[in-house]
């Protein structure tokens, strides 16, 4: 007898409701640590463009713009993007905020960005979608472009809680989480130059505690081979 498929709630609706109730998704120091690592690895360039994936209410995108970077950022929650635009106006900075789902091809030309930042925004997708997202990140980055991302790890206390919907991916109370480990990171970045991949623990913090992985990698100068994923299959159909 075939096991019935688990119905996963609409994640856009989940995050619209979430952002309607919360001002921040993670502890400020948590994101500052990630930003410092990212900024220190960026090449020196007056024309450097940066992309933030899953920007939420724009805290990190605004911080980057405040430091003189040209920033594009997106999130699939319309509530989050509306708040992000308001926050940018309040801080008197310019950020190109758009509403977009990371599970769809990125709305940017190839080789546009010198750096991509994704703090706690890449661990919400099944394996095939995740592979497609990393392929798109590689496409929009320039050669030697920098990628910094943080994700929940399989050492996190939430790992295994809820309904299993894919490998190391669970839906708990309507919230989908995909838990990474270092071998999985290495698989996703097979042809990249990985500078840093480390576990870190924020269990002592009140907001969004857990055990995460911080990853810093650079896009190799050589051409990356095409990775087949959900985006390519839709194009072929």
């Amino acid at each position: 007898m075939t096991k019935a498929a688990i119905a996963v709630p609409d994640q856009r609706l989940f995050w619209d409701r979430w952002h309607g109730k919360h001002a921040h998704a993670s502890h400020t120091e948590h994101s500052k640590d990630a930003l410092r690592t990212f900024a220190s690895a960026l090449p020196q360039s007056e024309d450097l463009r940066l992309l933030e994936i899953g920007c939420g209410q724009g805290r990190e995108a605004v911080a980057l713009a405040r430091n003189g970077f040209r920033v594009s950022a997106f999130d699939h929650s319309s509530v989050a993007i509306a708040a992000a635009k308001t926050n940018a106006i309040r801080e008197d900075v310019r950020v190109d905020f758009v509403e977009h789902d990371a599970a769809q091809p990125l709305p940017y030309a190839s080789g546009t960005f010198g750096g991509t930042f994704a703090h706690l925004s890449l661990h919400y997708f099944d394996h095939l979608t995740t592979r497609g997202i990393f392929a798109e990140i590689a496409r929009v980055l320039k050669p030697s472009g920098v990628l910094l991302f943080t994700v929940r790890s399989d050492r996190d206390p939430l790992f295994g809680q809820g309904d299993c919907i894919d490998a190391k991916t669970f839906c708990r109370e309507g919230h989908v989480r995909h838990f990474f480990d270092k071998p999985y990171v290495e698989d996703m970045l097979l042809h990249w130059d990985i500078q840093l991949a480390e576990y870190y623990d924020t269990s002592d913090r009140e907001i969004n505690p857990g055990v995460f992985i911080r990853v810093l990698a650079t896009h190799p100068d050589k051409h990356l081979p095409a990775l087949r994923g959900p985006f390519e299959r839709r194009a072929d159909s």
Side-chain angles (χ1 to χ4, degrees):
M1 183 174 181
T2 304
K3 183 179 179 181
I6 297 169
V8 177
D10 185 325
Q11 293 300 285
R12 188 190 304 270
L13 179 59
F14 174 90
W15 284 107
D16 279 346
R17 290 172 175 169
W18 194 98
H19 284 289
K21 297 178 180 178
H22 298 81
H24 300 294
S26 66
H27 195 285
T28 302
E29 290 304 315
H30 192 175
S31 64
K32 282 184 177 179
D33 289 344
L35 274 179
R36 280 192 289 265
T37 302
F38 180 58
S40 65
L42 291 172
Q44 298 297 316
S45 173
E46 294 182 358
D47 192 38
L48 191 66
R49 290 188 60 186
L50 305 179
L51 172 66
E52 183 179 6
I53 296 175
C55 63
Q57 297 173 28
R59 182 176 61 188
E60 285 70 57
V62 167
L64 289 167
R66 204 163 46 223
N67 280 277
F69 294 108
R70 298 171 58 198
V71 184
S72 297
F74 70 84
D75 198 283
H76 72 161
S77 167
S78 60
V79 175
I81 289 298
K85 290 180 178 179
T86 298
N87 290 333
I89 292 172
R90 183 181 298 119
E91 293 291 329
D92 194 27
V93 297
R94 181 175 180 178
V95 179
D96 177 25
F97 286 115
V98 296
E99 182 182 338
H100 181 74
D101 185 353
Q104 302 297 323
L106 298 182
Y108 308 103
S110 299
T112 297
F113 300 101
T116 298
F117 181 80
H119 179 54
L120 306 181
S121 61
L122 299 181
H123 55 197
Y124 298 122
F125 309 93
D126 61 34
H127 169 67
L128 285 178
T129 304
T130 300
R131 184 172 291 281
I133 291 170
F134 276 99
E136 278 291 281
I137 292 172
R139 180 184 65 78
V140 301
L141 269 179
K142 296 177 180 293
S144 299
V146 175
L147 168 64
L148 186 287
F149 67 92
T150 58
V151 287
R152 283 195 182 267
S153 78
D154 60 359
R155 300 180 183 181
D156 191 275
L158 292 174
F159 177 68
Q161 296 190 27
D163 296 318
C164 182
I165 58 176
D166 197 35
K168 294 194 175 184
T169 308
F170 301 87
C171 183
R172 176 177 179 267
E173 298 178 351
H175 187 178
V176 172
R177 295 181 178 92
H178 181 179
F179 298 84
F180 286 39
D181 59 21
K182 283 188 179 180
Y184 190 74
V185 167
E186 292 167 357
D187 180 45
M188 291 298 101
L189 300 176
L190 182 61
H191 299 282
W192 294 64
D193 298 320
I194 300 176
Q195 311 297 318
L196 173 71
E198 62 179 6
Y199 293 94
Y200 66 100
D201 193 332
T202 67
S203 297
D204 59 333
R205 295 174 178 171
E206 293 183 5
I207 302 176
N208 206 19
V211 182
F212 303 85
I213 301 178
R214 180 185 294 114
V215 179
L216 177 69
T218 56
H219 189 299
D221 290 333
K222 58 183 178 296
H223 175 69
L224 285 174
L227 297 177
R228 295 203 51 89
F231 304 151
E232 290 80 9
R233 281 201 299 278
R234 278 197 292 271
D236 293 343
S237 60

